[in-house]
Amino acid sequence: MSDATGPTGQSAGVPAHTGPNEQSDTATGAGAATGSPAAGGPATADGVEPSGAPGGRGVRVVLVDDHRMFRTGVQAEIGETERTGVQVVGEAADVDQAVTVITAARPEVVLLDVHLPGGGGVEVLRRCAPLMSDAERPVRFLALSVSDAAEDVIGVIRGGARGYVTKTITGTDLVNSIFRVQEGDAVFSPRLAGFVLDAFASTDAPPVDEDLDRLTQREREVLRLIARGYAYKEIAKQLFISVKTVESHVSAVLRKLQLSNRHELTRWATARRLV
């Protein structure tokens, strides 16, 4: 999949989801950002200036993701403040923690996962709406997710996020995307920008899919991977769960959708453009 890569097309540098869901203590801190971000660029994360902290630019960031190892990896990748200009001032693993940390730390940018315990990234955006609308010190959100599903992208953008990039993004491009969101730009991985343009070109609200709403977020992830032709072992490896757990999710999806096998499931997902 094409993602937010720079002119060199360098390979992904942000670690993928690792390990089972893990809760962690929130960590907040204070530290004023120095300088100002570089001028914003185009509407995707291509062709932006190299990362680092030229001119003393700085940005305070909170990381929200329910995988501790992923947060640790992102912190290691972007959190060398002298090099990147990014200061990580807090972390959170679920919706309640996120709202508490963001309210206390008042960062310029929040890196927000879409799928979180407690209601997901959309719920964080809803509860942080007053902070986003603060004219003097707005808190801006950049979604950083493994999901590239249209409904996830559109949901968080409607909720107020300024951009959406997937976890295949490089560390360099993630730093640049953070600064551009701080500046007020909208930043998307190139493929995902089309979802947003299509959604907001229409004044009609997307129809509610009651069948899809019966599935949990994890069941939706398994559904998409099954529909894309992944074997159970491949799905287990990608989602860091056991093959037995994959089988349980598939059985639950088939039962809820009243389908008989994975071939019917694939046709069902394809008809709804979930693949």
Side-chain angles (χ1 to χ4, degrees):
M1 183 192 75
S2 175
D3 208 330
T5 56
T8 62
Q10 103 187 66
S11 60
V14 175
H17 252 186
T18 55
N21 289 0
E22 298 178 275
Q23 299 294 323
S24 70
D25 294 335
T26 57
T28 62
T34 58
S36 60
T44 64
D46 298 277
V48 292
E49 68 175 80
S51 65
R57 69 175 186 170
V59 58
R60 299 169 69 251
V61 171
V62 163
L63 305 178
V64 181
D65 193 287
D66 62 333
H67 288 73
R68 180 185 299 141
M69 290 184 68
F70 180 77
R71 297 197 308 271
T72 300
V74 173
Q75 166 83 304
E77 187 75 25
I78 71 172
E80 296 180 8
T81 306
E82 292 184 0
R83 176 178 64 86
T84 66
V86 176
Q87 180 185 7
V88 178
V89 296
E91 297 182 9
D94 59 34
V95 170
D96 288 339
Q97 285 184 6
V99 174
T100 299
V101 173
I102 293 165
T103 301
R106 293 299 296 268
E108 282 84 36
V109 177
V110 177
L111 288 181
L112 180 68
D113 193 11
V114 174
H115 301 150
L116 294 168
V122 172
E123 178 64 13
V124 175
L125 292 165
R126 185 187 69 79
R127 291 168 61 178
C128 290
L131 301 179
M132 289 189 282
S133 60
D134 187 323
E136 295 185 359
R137 297 177 59 198
V139 176
R140 296 188 168 102
F141 287 78
L142 173 63
L144 175 63
S145 177
V146 70
S147 172
D148 61 357
E151 64 266 27
D152 288 336
V153 179
I154 294 166
V156 295
I157 297 304
R158 288 193 187 280
R162 294 293 304 174
Y164 194 117
V165 293
T166 60
K167 290 179 177 179
T168 54
I169 192 171
T170 66
T172 298
D173 289 328
L174 181 57
V175 168
N176 286 315
S177 296
I178 290 169
F179 275 104
R180 289 178 47 212
V181 166
Q182 179 197 29
E183 179 70 8
D185 282 354
V187 180
F188 300 93
S189 298
R191 176 176 177 267
L192 306 186
F195 295 156
V196 179
L197 292 173
D198 290 345
F200 287 90
S202 172
T203 57
D204 297 328
V208 175
D209 190 326
E210 294 182 359
D211 290 333
L212 189 61
D213 285 347
R214 294 191 186 101
L215 306 182
T216 66
Q217 292 290 352
R218 178 63 87 188
E219 288 168 352
R220 294 185 192 190
E221 292 174 353
V222 172
L223 165 65
R224 292 190 190 99
L225 293 173
I226 285 287
R228 291 172 182 174
Y230 284 73
Y232 285 5
K233 288 184 178 179
E234 294 172 322
I235 296 172
K237 183 177 180 181
Q238 181 157 337
L239 298 181
F240 297 95
I241 57 180
S242 69
V243 173
K244 186 175 181 180
T245 301
V246 174
E247 293 173 350
S248 297
H249 285 313
V250 172
S251 296
V253 170
L254 292 174
R255 183 182 69 254
K256 291 179 180 180
L257 300 181
Q258 298 183 346
L259 301 173
S260 300
N261 53 56
R262 64 180 296 164
H263 300 294
E264 290 183 2
L265 188 152
T266 299
R267 288 196 296 269
W268 187 93
T270 301
R272 285 161 174 78
R273 302 176 67 182
L274 299 177
V275 181

